[in-house]
Structure formats: C-alpha cells, structure tokens
Amino acid sequence: MYNDKNSKKIVETIQNWARSHSVWVLAYGTGCGAIEIAPTMTSRYDAERLGFRGAATPRQADVMLITGYLTVKTVKRVVRVYEQMQSPKYVVGFGSCTINGGMYYDSYNTINLLDRYLPVDVYINGCMPRPEAVIAGLAKLQQIIREGKANGAEKYLENLEWYKENQRKIAPNWIAKAPDLNW
Amino acid sequence: MEYILIKTLEAMATFVLAFIVGMTYGGVVRKITGRAHNRLGPPWYQNFIDAFKLLSKTRGIHHGAMHFLGAAFLMVTSVVSLMIIPVLAPGGDAWYNSWFTNMNFNGDLIFLIYIMTFGPLGMAMGAGQTGNPNSSIGVTRGLSQMVGFEIPWVMALVALMITYKTTSVVDFMNIQRETGTWLMFANPFAFIAAVLAMLGMFRYSPFDIVGAPTELASGPVSENGGKFLFTMMSSGSVFTFAKLVLYVDLFMGGANNLVMLVVKTFLLYMIPVLYGIVSPRYRTEQAVRWFWGWPTFIGLLAILYAVIF
C-alpha cells in the first residue's frame, strides 16, 4: 500500500506541508545582510510565528541564508556547510550581492553569481532587503516547498560535476577529495 | 498471556499520553517565551510539526556505532523512567486509573535516582563519537552541572525516605492520601531543595549551559540532524513529563485523574520556565557553586528536620 503511487503522493503532500511550516534557518552571516536577520526574528517582525526558527548547526538546519557577498575564501566554507546539511535543504540568496555581485561586481576576490556554486531556491533582492522583503522571500520559499518544487539538493547531486568544476575554478588547490558529502 | 497483553497496551497508552503532553508543553513554553518577548510566538502545536519534519528528512548521516547509542540511551532512560513512575494514583476515582501505573515496585525511588543519570552518560558516549569539539564541551558541562544539582535532589529524597521509612513512590502517594497533607507541607525544606534542583534538571536559563545555542551550537546534539534529532526531541519531551510526574507524585500527592495531572504538572513546570525567561546564563563553575550553596544547605536542613522531628 505504501508503494502505491497515490498513497505516496498523499504522504509527500503531508511531508511537504510540515517542511514548509517548520523551517530551521542557518544564517550564514557573510556580509552586511546579517544585520537584517535580528529584526526579522525578534519582536517587531517575529518570523517564528510562521514556523521559522534559528538552527544552531548545519546538521539541524533546513535552509541556509547567504546574507551578502561571498569572497573566494568564504565560498569554500559555504560549500562545506551546505554539504553538511541533511537533505531536503534549501538555499536563499540574500541581497543584490548574491545575484550580480552588487557593489562588489568588479572586485577581484568576490563571486558575482551564487547560482554557479550552489543551487539557490529563492533570491531576495535589494541592498539591503528590509525585514518585510525577507519575510516575503521566506514566504515564497514556503510556497515552493509546499508545491514540491524546492529540489535544490537533488539538482546539486545531479549536476555535481558542473558545480565542482565551478568551485575548483575559484579555489584551484582546494577540493582534493571532492565530492565528499559526508564531511 | 492476556495479562501481559493488557499490561503492554497500558504501557503504550502511558507512552502516548506522555508524548502528547510533553510535546504540547514544549510548544506552550515556546508560545509563553514568545509572549514574554512581546512576540506572537509559534502556535502551540509547532513542536509536532517540527518533529514530523525531522522524521521526514531523507538523509541522516551517522558517525559510527556509538553515535546511535547516544539517542538509544536517551530513549531508554525516558521510557524506563516513565514506566517506573506511577503516572496516576493507584487508588484514584477515574475509571482509567489502573492504566497508568505500570511497573512500580518497592525501592523504585533508588532505581530512579540511578536511571535518571543514565541518559546523560549515554549522550556523553554518543557525543564523543561525533568528534565535534562543541559536543565534548557540552557533555563536560552537562556532567558538571549534574554533579551540582544531584546533591540537593538526592538530599531531598533521602529526607523523605528517613521520615517515612520507605523507598516506594506508591507508598509516598498512599501516605499523602491517608494523612491528607502533601509532602511539600509536611517537609517544606525537602520541597524547596528539590525545586531548586529542578531548575538545573530542566536546563532552562540560567542553567542552559549544556545546549547554550550561541556559545556551543547546541552542545551534545550539534552533530545530530533528522531522525537522530527527532529521537532526542521526543525522548526529551517524554522525560520532561516523567520528571514532572515524579515531582507531583512525591510532593503534591499525585493526581487522581488526567485533568488534575495536567494542572499540577503544568503549574510545577512553570517554575523553571518563568524563572528561565527572565534570567541570563551562568557559567559552569557559577552554576555548580550555586547548587552547592543554598540548595545544598536547605537539603541539609531537610535531613535534619527529618531526623529531629
């Protein structure tokens, strides 16, 4: 009965509903965007009422917020943290810097487009995005989780070679034993 | 055969009750904390959604055989203590009362003192295997804190044992029913010492030094995600409920029906929660020094009171 297509679909729907209403956020505070996380979580905007909650470690987290620009150095750490997370897992790109480099578009040591290194589910644009924008972005994430379209983890595994190649380009002598999804 | 089957069903009913009430208390505490922060807070059933989400994670890596033991020991601790502690008074008036007195025996109080320290020890092994430095620090802190609060707690229990010459929880409940006085009034020093030890036992602020989220990244559980975390979360909820029931049984005369049980345990649970909301966090040595100060002194008074009167 469990392997029946329809009952699988029902189970999947319930699971996706639970996933969308319980999102544990790992805020990877790379850039200035991290300053907007505090008002989003605390009393004025209170993201916890929608089911968002801070996660202490990557193992427990569901969604990683990349809050701002990523330097070549931090990309390594971000990739490592992303691979430590347990799927299903999602990435939210935060601010203009993750979309096109923002004000650092011609810097020699920041990356311009986050999507080349990690599968991003939702972008929140703005410099800085206000807490209202953050909550709108997270609500969008909830919506695509509920529809079952937030499959970044599978996309990452399918196109692992392409992602690893891009990661190697910016950090040539880094990933010796990649792909290591267990860390 | 039938007897064993019925006993098993009763044990399962107890477990389901403990799971539902424990998880609901967790959600209510999050709601109360939110209201104290002037937030709306999550809905009271948020913990059930979280648990279901953790259960439906598709990947869960482990770090070897010992890693499983951490979760397994916690589960064993919570279920065994729940089975030993009589949840409702055996001679109560409600028709379902006999369902919830499972495996208690003479001397179960001594067994409970032992089994309640069993979970943290298993957690220490599991956390050591993960190799995360935060886990090791968290375990060290947790065992130090346990050394702190165990002393007033055991002193309070010993005072009760000396006064009434018994080590059975059911006997204590019967004594309270016969004399008509709750033990929290019969030996107030023991109750105060036990409540002060309870602050450390439930690990809310200022004694949340084990899981300290901003400091240790949730400490011993930092390498556990998905189903491991679900096991720990649910057994933690069950264990919380079991400890509250033990306090109610010992000091507040037990409960005759489920409504009284929920009222008494909830009121008792609010002591560490509300004290925690308004408190910052102690350092480890401050916490241990605090427990070995006034709580231990009051525990000593309780024993003196028991011996002299």
Side-chain angles (χ1 to χ4, degrees):
Chain A
M1 192 193 129
Y2 181 74
N3 287 323
D4 176 38
K5 206 175 164 190
N6 283 327
S7 32
K8 249 188 176 170
K9 214 170 163 185
I10 294 169
V11 172
E12 193 88 334
T13 312
I14 300 172
Q15 283 180 339
N16 282 336
W17 179 84
R19 281 167 191 152
S20 73
H21 281 87
S22 156
V23 185
W24 292 7
V25 179
L26 183 72
Y28 196 94
T30 53
C32 29
I35 202 78
E36 298 290 337
I37 302 294
T40 309
M41 298 306 288
T42 48
S43 57
R44 176 134 186 212
Y45 293 99
D46 187 23
E48 201 183 3
R49 75 199 140 95
L50 306 171
F52 295 96
R53 183 189 165 182
T57 70
R59 296 274 186 230
Q60 304 165 359
D62 301 310
V63 52
M64 181 158 63
L65 291 186
I66 308 286
T67 53
Y69 64 88
L70 281 180
T71 62
V72 171
K73 231 165 143 184
T74 34
V75 167
K76 296 184 200 172
R77 275 74 185 179
V78 165
V79 168
R80 180 168 174 169
V81 167
Y82 180 72
E83 290 179 356
Q84 280 185 341
M85 285 161 66
Q86 312 287 303
S87 57
K89 50 190 175 183
Y90 323 103
V91 177
V92 172
F94 199 105
S96 309
C97 294
T98 53
I99 302 171
N100 56 12
M103 61 193 283
Y104 304 100
Y105 70 99
D106 59 349
S107 167
Y108 64 96
N109 71 342
T110 60
I111 61 161
N112 280 359
L113 183 56
L114 177 62
D115 211 15
R116 287 170 63 83
Y117 308 94
L118 288 176
V120 181
D121 291 290
V122 172
Y123 283 113
I124 304 168
N125 71 355
C127 180
M128 311 296 304
R130 296 264 307 146
E132 292 96 330
V134 176
I135 286 183
L138 292 178
K140 181 73 184 168
L141 178 71
Q142 280 186 317
Q143 189 195 332
I144 63 173
I145 292 172
R146 218 172 299 137
E147 288 163 1
K149 290 179 189 161
N151 47 3
E154 286 109 75
K155 219 161 72 186
Y156 187 71
L157 283 183
E158 272 168 29
N159 307 316
L160 193 65
E161 273 312 300
W162 184 76
Y163 282 116
K164 286 292 164 196
E165 204 187 310
N166 288 338
Q167 290 163 11
R168 263 187 224 110
K169 261 182 214 161
I170 55 161
N173 48 7
W174 167 45
I175 312 163
K177 48 173 186 165
D180 183 0
L181 291 172
N182 254 2
W183 286 107
Chain B
M1 184 64 202
E2 252 178 40
Y3 176 74
I4 292 175
L5 204 67
I6 290 171
K7 272 287 177 200
T8 316
L9 285 177
E10 287 173 3
M12 280 161 77
T14 315
F15 182 77
V16 169
L17 172 82
F19 181 76
I20 291 175
V21 176
M23 294 290 267
T24 310
Y25 278 3
V28 170
V29 166
R30 279 174 71 179
K31 185 89 186 165
I32 289 172
T33 314
R35 295 305 300 159
H37 293 170
N38 202 7
R39 290 186 284 129
L40 209 57
W44 63 268
Y45 51 85
Q46 183 66 44
N47 264 18
F48 290 99
I49 305 178
D50 284 354
F52 187 70
K53 181 220 51 186
L54 288 172
L55 198 57
S56 51
K57 282 263 182 190
T58 50
R59 266 183 85 224
I61 65 122
H62 65 87
H63 301 268
M66 293 295 264
H67 186 194
F68 287 95
L69 276 188
F73 269 44
L74 276 187
M75 209 157 63
V76 167
T77 305
S78 53
V79 172
V80 170
S81 22
L82 183 71
M83 290 297 119
I84 298 295
I85 297 166
V87 176
L88 290 180
D93 45 4
W95 52 273
Y96 46 76
N97 251 24
S98 60
W99 292 10
F100 298 108
T101 51
N102 290 303
M103 286 174 13
N104 44 332
F105 55 93
N106 290 337
D108 49 5
L109 205 50
I110 293 181
F111 181 70
L112 278 172
I113 293 174
Y114 162 70
I115 198 77
M116 280 165 76
T117 60
F118 190 68
L121 291 179
M123 205 55 222
M125 292 201 298
Q129 173 91 52
T130 61
N132 191 323
N134 286 329
S135 303
S136 312
I137 300 173
V139 162
T140 318
R141 289 176 169 208
L143 294 182
S144 318
Q145 192 187 1
M146 213 165 71
V147 168
F149 72 74
E150 279 289 309
I151 288 181
W153 166 234
V154 171
M155 276 177 157
L157 294 188
V158 166
L160 296 187
M161 289 177 202
I162 290 173
T163 316
Y164 297 102
K165 309 237 172 355
T166 176
T167 50
S168 155
V169 182
V170 174
D171 278 357
F172 281 115
M173 289 156 85
N174 287 337
I175 287 165
Q176 291 176 78
R177 205 178 58 235
E178 282 157 18
T179 57
T181 321
W182 289 357
L183 289 192
M184 62 188 280
F185 300 118
N187 191 343
F189 295 117
F191 180 67
I192 294 170
V195 163
L196 293 178
M198 178 184 183
L199 298 176
M201 211 182 279
F202 284 91
R203 290 183 184 157
Y204 284 103
S205 299
F207 302 105
D208 58 341
I209 57 177
V210 180
T214 45
E215 222 180 307
L216 280 186
S218 76
V221 295
S222 58
E223 280 290 314
N224 296 284
K227 282 157 188 154
F228 287 105
L229 199 59
F230 166 75
T231 315
M232 288 170 183
M233 190 175 162
S234 49
S235 46
S237 305
V238 171
F239 195 38
T240 301
F241 178 75
K243 284 186 285 195
L244 287 171
V245 170
L246 179 63
Y247 269 85
V248 169
D249 283 354
L250 284 179
F251 293 106
M252 295 165 82
N256 283 330
N257 51 45
L258 287 181
V259 178
M260 276 323 283
L261 181 77
V262 169
V263 169
K264 282 180 181 175
T265 47
F266 188 76
L267 285 179
L268 205 55
Y269 195 30
M270 282 302 106
I271 297 173
V273 169
L274 294 182
Y275 184 54
I277 288 174
V278 293
S279 306
R281 186 184 305 139
Y282 277 147
R283 293 205 310 254
T284 317
E285 66 269 21
Q286 287 171 330
V288 175
R289 200 180 300 146
W290 190 86
F291 282 121
W292 286 358
W294 283 105
T296 308
F297 179 69
I298 295 171
L300 206 62
L301 279 186
I303 291 184
L304 286 178
Y305 185 82
V307 170
I308 294 169
F309 297 103

